[in-house]
Amino acid sequence: MAVANDIYKKMTGPGASVIRKMFEEGAQLKKVYGEDKVFDFSIGNPDLEPVQAVEQAVLEVANDRTKGRHGYMPNAGYTEVRQAMAEKTNFEQNLSGKPGTGLGEALTAKHIVMACGAAGALNSVFKAILNTGDEVLVPVPYFVEYGHYVSNHGGKLRTLTATEDLSIDITAVKKSLNERTAAIIINSPNNPSGKIYTKENMSDLVKVLNEHGKTTGRYPYIILDEPYRAICYNGKNPVSMFPLYSESIVVTSFAKNLSLPGERLGYIAVNPACKDVDVLVNACIFSTRILGYVNAPAMFQKVAAKCWNCDVDYSSYINRMKEITRAVSSAGIEFIEPEGTFYLFCKVPSNKKGDKDDFAFCNHLKKYNILVAPGTGFGCPGYFRIAYCVSEKTIRNSAGAFKKAVEDWI
Ligand SMILES: Cc1ncc(COP(=O)(O)O)c(C=O)c1O
């Protein structure tokens, strides 16, 4: 065998990325039928172009001639960029407290580690915190890649059943906690459900983790994976968790909010109230180095520092959301009401045979040139995900295809 057994098993097994495969099939179908005849809802690649402020910042950074601008830097990133990310985190997490004030203490540059996207940030954090055999909890539905990121560093992802409305099932959390539990991942707004977990739900989670910590001496980290934080609807926002729980870490990126997924820029923000904050930050920095990322991309760090707080109009995602919910509703498909992101999580309609198999339904949709991702990949069989970050025209044109596909399915 030319490659490692574990990698071979993962890359060829059922856990291999179904979404990437769909994306590639979509490109193939477009060649055959033409762009406008294929309804490719497979991948969360934002279709909004970066706003003017981002383009301007890119030009300014490109025109900078300061000596050493392309050189190595401290592994954690440029200090002024980390300071800007600290300011951003303080705003999002509602923090203003001075050093030593505990929960509520504001971040400074020293609490930030720049990373290669949220994916790089997650890998650095897991490398930093996991001992072999440690467990990481995640409520379903969840981002497909978490399992790989956790096992990359000797950990085991343990999935938690959700309640009917896909909130976090606190009883399931309680049952799953044990002495090996290192962390729980919270992704809000959620990919694939578009759900924002409520303050009540999050407070209940904190209570359970604190009780567990008190009895075992190990307080699991809450890892807040927040690349979609800015894309929320109807004035809703994800809960600011730093003032509620000290052992919390944000991982995020500029992939979705600034439409820069290819530039691979993100960061880790550690709660200053965290018990071992300095060791944890240093471990994340060291992990970034030894994983071979070394540091986050130099030019885009500077771009982000210039425009992290620029205005971005996400109303077209809201229009797309309305358009897609109209299309699937009229086809008789049920879905989870999205509160953010650009994903719609739908139930597979059951047919006469009582068949709710999401793989079978996604394959059926392909016959109508509709590409979507099966829910099993997100830990939710019987569902499928529509990534509606595509043109409104594509969504409108897909309505008839959805209707026909469902009629033929049931
Ligand atoms: C929930 C979630 N976390 C992390 C990532 C990784 O983001 P990035 O491209 O910034 O690495 C994604 C990407 O789609 C995501 O949906």
Side-chain angles (χ1 to χ4, degrees):
M1 174 71 67
V3 297
N5 296 339
D6 176 56
I7 288 293
Y8 189 76
K9 223 162 71 193
K10 284 176 181 162
M11 70 190 220
T12 53
S17 185
V18 187
I19 299 174
R20 280 274 157 188
K21 202 163 148 243
M22 284 271 180
F23 181 58
E24 279 149 28
E25 279 175 0
Q28 208 47 42
L29 284 176
K30 282 174 199 163
K31 273 192 205 148
V32 179
Y33 296 102
E35 284 277 335
D36 58 335
K37 303 280 186 324
V38 180
F39 313 114
D40 186 355
F41 301 112
S42 60
I43 197 166
N45 206 3
D47 73 320
L48 298 188
E49 281 303 308
V51 294
Q52 183 59 33
V54 176
E55 302 287 11
Q56 184 59 36
V58 171
L59 288 177
E60 282 170 21
V61 171
N63 284 326
D64 176 21
R65 289 288 172 267
T66 310
K67 192 167 175 329
R69 65 196 175 281
H70 300 301
Y72 285 124
M73 69 189 78
N75 298 116
Y78 294 116
T79 307
E80 66 278 15
V81 177
R82 295 167 75 199
Q83 188 55 46
M85 298 306 114
E87 212 181 302
K88 176 173 180 284
T89 311
N90 289 335
F91 174 72
E92 291 171 350
Q93 294 294 326
N94 202 14
L95 302 167
S96 57
K98 297 204 161 41
T101 44
L103 285 172
E105 177 180 333
L107 286 82
T108 63
K110 73 172 192 168
H111 302 110
I112 301 285
V113 183
M114 300 307 296
C116 297
L122 281 161
N123 273 279
S124 290
V125 168
F126 290 136
K127 183 79 180 161
I129 66 168
L130 294 179
N131 288 305
T132 306
D134 272 354
E135 293 182 356
V136 176
L137 308 182
V138 67
V140 298
Y142 64 92
F143 177 51
V144 219
E145 305 292 61
Y146 290 154
H148 295 306
Y149 298 165
V150 169
S151 74
N152 280 346
H153 310 290
K156 254 175 69 182
L157 190 73
R158 191 160 171 175
T159 57
L160 304 169
T161 51
T163 62
E164 180 59 26
D165 72 345
L166 300 189
S167 296
I168 296 164
D169 182 345
I170 300 299
T171 314
V173 177
K174 246 189 214 170
K175 276 193 194 146
S176 302
L177 285 167
N178 63 57
E179 69 285 357
R180 291 185 307 276
T181 312
I184 178 166
I185 307 172
I186 300 297
N187 169 223
S188 177
N190 179 269
N191 172 12
S193 72
K195 194 172 175 64
I196 296 176
Y197 298 118
T198 63
K199 178 125 193 208
E200 194 188 9
N201 204 201
M202 298 311 279
S203 303
D204 288 345
L205 172 67
V206 166
K207 214 164 123 200
V208 166
L209 296 183
N210 276 329
E211 277 164 12
H212 176 74
K214 251 183 232 150
T215 50
T216 63
R218 187 174 193 183
Y219 289 81
Y221 292 109
I222 298 184
I223 299 174
L224 303 151
D225 182 21
E226 301 197 331
Y228 302 94
R229 174 176 265 277
I231 309 172
C232 295
Y233 308 144
N234 301 324
K236 287 205 170 171
N237 279 304
V239 178
S240 303
M241 292 298 288
F242 278 17
L244 299 182
Y245 189 67
S246 60
E247 308 311 297
S248 46
I249 304 167
V250 166
V251 290
T252 190
S253 75
F254 295 95
K256 315 292 175 171
N257 62 338
L258 296 187
S259 299
L260 296 172
E263 303 301 347
R264 310 307 306 135
L265 188 73
Y267 61 89
I268 301 161
V270 177
N271 192 339
C274 191
K275 191 156 67 71
D276 293 314
V277 59
D278 293 336
V279 183
L280 177 58
V281 172
N282 284 333
C284 290
I285 297 171
F286 183 70
S287 300
T288 300
R289 189 185 113 203
I290 64 169
L291 284 171
Y293 308 140
V294 182
N295 58 251
M299 288 180 78
F300 269 83
Q301 282 193 47
K302 291 184 181 165
V303 169
K306 282 177 185 284
C307 61
W308 64 268
N309 54 357
C310 65
D311 280 333
V312 183
D313 179 6
Y314 299 111
S315 58
S316 58
Y317 286 142
I318 300 176
N319 296 340
R320 287 158 162 78
M321 185 265 281
K322 288 182 181 155
E323 200 69 63
I324 191 70
T325 52
R326 254 197 304 274
V328 298
S329 298
S330 70
I333 296 171
E334 290 175 48
F335 55 86
I336 303 290
E337 202 70 52
E339 296 169 308
T341 71
F342 32 63
Y343 303 114
L344 189 69
F345 208 42
C346 304
K347 284 189 181 166
V348 173
S350 71
N351 57 18
K352 281 191 204 83
K353 291 184 282 176
D355 187 5
K356 290 189 90 177
D357 182 317
D358 46 313
F359 282 104
F361 187 65
C362 293
N363 278 330
H364 172 75
L365 287 180
K366 262 193 245 169
K367 290 187 233 154
Y368 305 82
N369 284 352
I370 300 173
L371 294 149
V372 296
T376 299
F378 304 96
C380 267
Y383 284 81
F384 65 98
R385 187 195 75 174
I386 295 174
Y388 57 84
C389 42
V390 299
S391 76
E392 273 177 63
K393 186 168 165 229
T394 301
I395 300 173
R396 252 193 318 276
N397 290 348
S398 71
F402 270 114
K403 207 162 185 177
K404 180 87 180 72
V406 173
E407 281 165 10
D408 294 349
W409 169 260
I410 56 175

